[in-house]
Amino acid sequence: MDKKIIGIIIAYTLIMGSLLIATFAGQWTPSGYDYSIEGETLTIEHRSFSGGEKKVNVENRQADALRFYVALSAERQQWRIDVMISALILPFILLLFTPERRPFKEQISLKWYTGIVAAIVIIYLSYTIPLHVSQVNEIQQYVNVLLE
């Protein structure tokens, strides 16, 4: 193996390792929210620079709490899908830096390969970013309702 391939492997490992650790070990999502339940008390944790925990009694507000759980669960699921898609797309992006090792080099020119990879990334980002924005807004609305 040459140095470029080793560099690509190291870059892939560092990027995906960081994403996987943050997502699965750190329970990180773009919303920054997490929760824990103890009896009738819901603790909403916001992992941001201001951070903090808020405790809410959900004894008579199970429907609001359930909406919050479902919205947060949907955000977590979408983020995990994004991490998996990133794991699939990232090698094609990194192989742009080694044109002699890229796949399909006999069938597709470097310009076409770059265009196809860029189009895939742009299409996926144009789908997932608005989805995350709407999910985070929905979570924030449910948090506001619970904290009233």
Side-chain angles (χ1 to χ4, degrees), residues 55-110:
K55 295 188 184 289
V56 178
N57 186 345
V58 291
E59 184 176 353
N60 296 322
R61 304 174 73 190
Q62 289 91 2
D64 293 334
L66 185 59
R67 285 186 198 104
F68 171 70
Y69 305 151
V70 169
L72 192 57
S73 178
E75 171 67 10
R76 282 183 181 156
Q77 184 63 29
Q78 183 59 43
W79 178 248
R80 289 180 177 163
I81 289 170
D82 289 347
V83 169
M84 289 187 293
I85 297 295
S86 298
L88 294 173
I89 294 174
L90 187 58
F92 293 102
I93 294 170
L94 292 174
L95 285 170
L96 284 168
F97 299 106
T98 58
E100 67 278 358
R101 297 287 187 150
R102 71 178 165 78
F104 313 114
K105 67 180 177 183
E106 284 83 28
Q107 294 84 13
I108 303 173
S109 70
L110 179 60

Side-chain angles (χ1 to χ4, degrees), residues 3 5 12 24 29-31 33 39 44 47 58-59 62 64 66 70 75 78 91 108-109 112 115 127 133 137-139:
K3 291 180 182 180
I5 295 298
Y12 182 82
F24 294 104
T29 64
S31 71
Y33 282 101
I44 300 172
R47 297 176 180 156
V58 291
E59 184 176 353
Q62 289 91 2
D64 293 334
L66 185 59
V70 169
E75 171 67 10
Q78 183 59 43
I108 303 173
S109 70
W112 273 98
Y127 159 75
V133 168
N137 288 337
E138 183 180 8
I139 291 168

